[in-house]
């Protein structure tokens, strides 16, 4: 299998930065991994906080926790400006993933052609 193909598959399907690590570009690989993990952590922490606040609001209103109440509260929460962090962190994760795939292809292609980075 070509280096470029292997790197793209690992960075695209497994995790951003993995293709760079396999190509022995450790600094770039670890940088992509740390950046993506940071975005994921921010996203998950914010999503859990929003979820917990939704459940608190539902139980404070005295409503039973059913799908309709959760859906309605989630729709209201997503429209809040506080959910912008979710959108930006998701965009950051996708951007890291895309740049990692492109860089993995370029790095692998250079190795395929025998060039050193």
């Amino acid at each position: 299998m070509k280096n470029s193909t292997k790197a793209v598959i690992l960075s695209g399907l497994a995790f951003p930065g993995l293709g760079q690590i396999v190509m022995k570009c450790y600094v770039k690989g670890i940088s992509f991994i740390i950046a993506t993990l940071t975005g994921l952590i921010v996203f998950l922490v914010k999503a859990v906080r929003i979820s917990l606040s939704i459940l608190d609001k539902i139980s404070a209103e005295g409503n039973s926790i059913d799908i309709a109440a959760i859906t309605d509260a989630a729709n209201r929460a997503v429209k809040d400006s506080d959910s912008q962090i979710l959108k930006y962190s998701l965009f950051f994760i996708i951007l890291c993933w895309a740049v990692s795939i492109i860089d993995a292809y370029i790095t692998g292609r250079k190795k395929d052609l025998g060039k050193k980075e």
Side-chain angles (χ1 to χ4, degrees), residues 39-75:
L40 279 171
I41 289 169
V42 168
F43 183 85
L44 290 175
V45 166
K46 194 62 184 168
V48 168
R49 285 185 180 169
I50 289 173
S51 301
L52 291 175
S53 72
I54 288 171
L55 290 176
D56 286 342
K57 285 178 186 176
I58 290 173
S59 62
E61 292 172 358
N63 295 340
S64 62
I65 299 178
D66 61 349
I67 295 298
I70 292 173
T71 303
D72 183 47
N75 286 333

Side-chain angles (χ1 to χ4, degrees), residues 23-43:
M23 295 296 116
K24 297 185 174 133
C25 296
Y26 300 112
V27 174
K28 283 198 288 186
I30 290 171
S31 298
F32 281 120
I33 290 171
I34 290 172
T36 305
L37 283 176
T38 302
L40 279 171
I41 289 169
V42 168
F43 183 85

Side-chain angles (χ1 to χ4, degrees), residues 49-111:
R49 285 185 180 169
I50 289 173
S51 301
L52 291 175
S53 72
I54 288 171
L55 290 176
D56 286 342
K57 285 178 186 176
I58 290 173
S59 62
E61 292 172 358
N63 295 340
S64 62
I65 299 178
D66 61 349
I67 295 298
I70 292 173
T71 303
D72 183 47
N75 286 333
R76 279 186 273 138
V78 169
K79 293 177 184 174
D80 291 343
S81 62
D82 206 27
S83 68
Q84 292 296 323
I85 295 172
L86 286 174
K87 293 175 187 174
Y88 291 133
S89 61
L90 184 60
F91 175 75
F92 180 73
I93 293 166
I94 292 169
L95 181 68
C96 286
W97 217 301
V99 172
S100 172
I101 292 169
I102 293 167
D103 182 70
Y105 176 76
I106 291 169
T107 303
R109 187 80 176 141
K110 285 179 182 177
K111 292 205 184 254

